[in-house]
Amino acid sequence: MPLARPIIRGSAQIAYGNAQSAWSEYPQGLANLLDRFKPRRVCELGGGANPALSLEDIAARGLEYTLLDISAEELAKAPAGYARLQADVCDPRLDMPARFDFVFSRMLLEHVPDGGQFHRNVLKMLEPGGVAFHFFPTLYCPPFLANRLMKPAWTARLLRAFAPRDPVREKKFAAYYSWCRGPTAGQIRRLERLGYAVLDYRGFFGHNYYARVPAVRRVHGALANFLVRHPSPLLTSYAYLLVRNGVAK
């Protein structure tokens, strides 16, 4: 299902869509952003085990591409040939050896304990006018709210039952959902107060956690499609966030 008609709020373009498109269109969406902004120095946050761009894509675009991850174990899972940097993107003392034109993350933001510090550090990582792009799950989607409130052992059992995955390539980490919200006015103001210009904030409805329960899956799918047409930013399941370092080049 295509995105609903965008809403303009200040500098931000807000739109909504179905979560299926968030996942299926992510690779091309990332490529489109690289074509649009034409960065030279790119940093992928938290992509140690599963880099979003192949070495062939990186070479074809002429990128200086760095994988940053807090975990040496996860970085070691990346194929040989990637530049790697072990660092905690939420460390208030984070001191990067260089700045980047483009910083992005995929399914990382929910795992950082302090979303505000995360965004402050990413801002410091960006060149003036540099761009950051994040794809993350949001509260108050029921599975993610349960993941936030329940004991890790319980959520691990539920994940194995409803959405099993490779425990090595897609290891489960603690989830906090700090600053993981849909495109609310309050969330946009928080980002702007840090010094960002919010360019694009897209909320997506639905998820695949009911795939093994057909009756619930059908009802949930109909509800997701209804919410695309009648959106509430508090009920999103995922979001794309595109921001720029507000300092002009």
Side-chain angles (χ1 to χ4, degrees):
M1 175 174 289
L3 292 172
R5 179 175 296 178
I7 303 163
I8 305 300
R9 182 175 293 147
S11 64
Q13 178 173 279
I14 299 168
Y16 295 94
N18 192 287
Q20 291 179 346
S21 65
W23 286 99
S24 63
E25 296 172 9
Y26 177 82
Q28 186 58 53
L30 177 61
N32 291 344
L33 291 176
L34 294 173
D35 291 338
R36 173 182 171 186
F37 294 104
K38 295 179 170 54
R40 184 167 64 89
R41 294 182 299 277
V42 175
C43 183
E44 180 179 357
L45 305 175
N50 302 285
L53 291 185
S54 69
L55 292 170
E56 292 75 17
D57 287 337
I58 293 167
R61 293 178 178 276
L63 301 178
E64 296 178 18
Y65 195 89
T66 301
L67 293 176
L68 184 150
D69 204 297
I70 192 174
S71 169
E73 178 186 356
E74 293 300 298
L75 283 172
K77 296 175 184 177
Y82 284 93
R84 311 165 201 226
L85 178 62
Q86 184 182 358
D88 180 0
V89 75
C90 276
D91 186 346
R93 301 162 298 175
L94 182 67
D95 185 18
M96 299 297 296
R99 285 192 170 193
F100 299 92
D101 307 306
F102 189 90
V103 174
F104 74 101
S105 70
R106 176 183 54 169
M107 298 297 114
L108 170 68
L109 186 51
E110 72 272 25
H111 299 299
V112 304
D114 186 340
Q117 188 63 55
F118 171 90
H119 287 296
R120 283 189 288 272
N121 281 354
V122 170
L123 187 66
K124 290 192 298 184
M125 293 172 64
L126 289 171
E127 290 280 7
V131 173
F133 175 54
H134 307 293
F135 176 24
F136 53 92
T138 63
L139 292 179
Y140 297 89
C141 176
F144 305 138
L145 184 60
N147 193 31
R148 176 67 182 88
L149 297 177
M150 296 173 66
K151 293 181 179 179
W154 297 355
T155 58
R157 293 191 190 100
L158 289 173
L159 189 63
R160 286 194 296 270
F162 288 95
R165 57 189 184 181
D166 185 337
V168 176
R169 306 309 301 182
E170 297 180 280
K171 187 176 178 180
K172 189 179 187 305
F173 298 97
Y176 305 95
Y177 299 94
S178 178
W179 285 45
C180 288
R181 304 293 187 273
T184 66
Q187 188 73 357
I188 291 171
R189 284 195 300 269
R190 288 205 293 186
L191 290 160
E192 290 175 340
R193 282 196 293 266
L194 293 182
Y196 285 108
V198 179
L199 304 180
D200 197 343
Y201 208 153
R202 302 188 182 194
F204 299 93
F205 299 101
H207 54 77
N208 66 351
Y209 289 97
Y210 303 140
R212 296 188 170 191
V213 189
V216 178
R217 182 187 66 228
R218 287 192 292 271
V219 172
H220 175 72
L223 176 60
N225 290 334
F226 174 83
L227 287 170
V228 173
R229 298 189 299 272
H230 307 280
S232 166
L234 293 175
L235 298 177
T236 57
S237 303
Y238 299 93
Y240 287 175
L241 172 63
L242 180 68
V243 292
R244 185 182 66 229
N245 184 333
V247 180
K249 284 186 176 179

